Amino acid sequence: MELKEFQDIFEQECVKNGIEYNFEKANMLYQSMKLILEWNEKVNVTAIKDEKEFIVKHFIDSLTVNSFLGNAKRVLDIGTGAGFPGIPLKIYQENVEFTLIDAVNKKVTVLQDIIDKLNLRKIEALHIRAEDLGKDENYRESFDIVTTRAVSNLATISEYMLPFVKVGGLAVCMKGPNMEDELKEAKKAIEVFGGEIEEVKKLLINEEFERNLISIRKKKRTDEKYPRGQGKPAKEPIR
Ligand code: SAM
């Protein structure tokens, strides 16, 4: 797909889904898509290879979180993979500091290449697990917004995310349809880590696929014993 076609499709999708369109930002998203698809020939970082689908399922979907960023100064994206939602959000929020983390090194190599080639500032990509970085006092309880898409169930990601959120800040979890049971099952965990469910924003992207944005407000500090190590948040989520 040439740049002009990309801009036209992206603009239409932005209008349909209530996302601000910007020509410069569209160019940067286009470059990041080309880089990811090029990398994808060597290392598998995304299952979405069709460019129209890429625009909707990666870019438009990621940008649904942009409205939560308001006055944020520091944002963390956990389990970012090829940079979703972190990279599109960074492109839309030039002055906000972003940290993107992933447990798989090859994904971080791809992210670093995108950061370098797009000349993005105020962003770092780290190869580390959330449970390990969550113990680091330079990162713990220091983010206004923490995001995740497609990382794990809500109880598990609450343990990954909430230790990083400042009191008063938000964890925004991108979930698909039928998340009601998951939400119920995670209530206790969210409370234990110092959070409270604020809102479930239900969107129908392109009147076709459902996106639920679960926002959790950090009400009090997280006990130092969380996040637990040795894979416990995933193997034995708090219920
Ligand atoms: N968020 C991206 C997206 O929606 O396209 C990637 C989703 S992918 C299904 C899940 C990613 O989470 C993987 O890249 C995996 O390595 C990462 N991940 C899983 N558990 C993690 C943890 N505890 N800490 C950091 N990254 C983790």
Side-chain angles (χ1 to χ4, degrees), residues 45 58 77-85 101-104 107 128-131 148-152 160:
V45 287
H58 281 328
D77 186 26
I78 296 176
T80 189
F84 302 111
I101 69 166
D102 203 280
V104 174
K107 300 194 180 177
I128 193 161
R129 295 192 68 83
E131 306 90 302
T148 50
R149 183 179 83 161
V151 174
S152 191
Y160 294 158

Side-chain angles (χ1 to χ4, degrees), residues 155 158 162 182-195 197 226 237-239:
S158 304
L162 283 166
E182 198 180 324
L183 191 61
K184 266 188 230 145
E185 280 172 19
K187 275 227 160 95
K188 163 110 187 282
I190 290 168
E191 203 186 301
V192 167
F193 308 131
I197 292 166
Y226 303 114
I238 304 271
R239 297 275 189 229

Side-chain angles (χ1 to χ4, degrees), residues 140-228:
R140 192 178 175 88
E141 303 203 304
S142 57
F143 290 90
D144 305 290
I145 306 280
V146 178
T147 59
T148 50
R149 183 179 83 161
V151 174
S152 191
N153 69 76
L154 194 55
T156 301
I157 56 176
S158 304
E159 187 161 354
Y160 294 158
M161 298 170 86
L162 283 166
F164 287 105
V165 184
K166 271 184 189 168
V167 172
L170 270 188
V172 183
C173 315
M174 302 178 72
K175 286 280 161 191
N178 311 319
M179 47 76 231
E180 287 78 9
D181 287 346
E182 198 180 324
L183 191 61
K184 266 188 230 145
E185 280 172 19
K187 275 227 160 95
K188 163 110 187 282
I190 290 168
E191 203 186 301
V192 167
F193 308 131
E196 192 179 287
I197 292 166
E198 182 153 289
E199 187 196 358
V200 180
K201 191 170 168 188
K202 202 179 273 295
L203 304 169
L204 201 55
I205 297 183
N206 277 5
E207 293 171 16
E208 186 191 331
F209 79 92
E210 188 177 317
R211 168 60 69 210
N212 286 288
L213 300 173
I214 303 177
S215 51
I216 303 168
R217 182 72 62 189
K218 180 86 170 254
K219 292 286 185 184
K220 50 182 199 248
R221 297 190 73 169
T222 307
D223 192 311
E224 279 178 15
K225 63 181 185 242
Y226 303 114
R228 294 164 296 160

Side-chain angles (χ1 to χ4, degrees), residues 69-92:
L69 267 45
N71 298 318
K73 290 194 175 66
R74 229 178 147 198
V75 175
L76 170 70
D77 186 26
I78 296 176
T80 189
F84 302 111
I87 293 277
L89 291 174
K90 172 66 219 177
I91 289 174
Y92 266 63

Side-chain angles (χ1 to χ4, degrees), residues 53 56 63 73 108 171 225:
E53 202 183 337
V56 177
L63 289 167
K73 290 194 175 66
V108 179
K225 63 181 185 242

